[in-house]
Amino acid sequence: TQSTWERMMIGKEIIKEMSDMNAEMLTEAKDIVISGIESNTASTGLNMEAAAKNIKDTLDKKYGPSWHVILGEGYSFDVSAQEKSVLYMYYNGAYGILIYKA
């Protein structure tokens, strides 16, 4: 059985990924991000606010509060985060996603 991450990667390219998470958490976090984006995408496009809220709520339930989610296009960041809790990636080359716990 393929994970959501493996299904997303078929025919798509990760432009950039940066994380300090352990391998298990990283895989789960990617699956949560992809699921949050896919479940909030309609024919009219991605509802970024709903996707970010869905991702945050899922991370808070799984790993405890306080997770922060930034999802968008064309932004930069400088954050202080808890160790082993940062993931920055692109989804389908279009959306930058930053998740971290603070």
Side-chain angles (χ1 to χ4, degrees):
T1 305
Q2 291 178 325
S3 71
T4 304
W5 179 248
E6 290 166 330
R7 286 193 309 272
M8 184 197 92
M9 290 307 300
I10 295 172
K12 297 184 181 177
E13 178 181 350
I14 293 296
I15 295 171
K16 183 176 183 179
E17 174 191 318
M18 184 275 306
S19 180
D20 66 351
M21 295 177 174
N22 68 50
E24 182 180 336
M25 181 185 241
L26 178 59
T27 299
E28 290 175 4
K30 288 175 183 177
D31 284 344
I32 290 168
V33 168
I34 293 163
S35 176
I37 290 172
E38 288 179 349
S39 66
N40 289 284
T41 301
S43 60
T44 56
L46 173 62
N47 181 335
M48 286 192 232
E49 184 176 342
K53 181 173 180 4
N54 178 278
I55 294 164
K56 180 202 176 352
D57 291 347
T58 304
L59 289 168
D60 281 347
K61 286 179 191 168
K62 185 156 186 83
Y63 298 108
S66 289
W67 284 88
H68 302 272
V69 178
I70 301 168
L71 191 156
E73 301 173 279
Y75 66 89
S76 64
F77 63 91
D78 183 16
V79 298
S80 295
Q82 189 174 357
E83 282 188 38
K84 307 290 183 195
S85 74
V86 176
L87 169 62
Y88 178 61
M89 62 182 263
Y90 281 91
Y91 176 80
N92 199 20
Y95 301 105
I97 300 99
L98 171 66
I99 61 173
Y100 65 97
K101 190 172 185 177

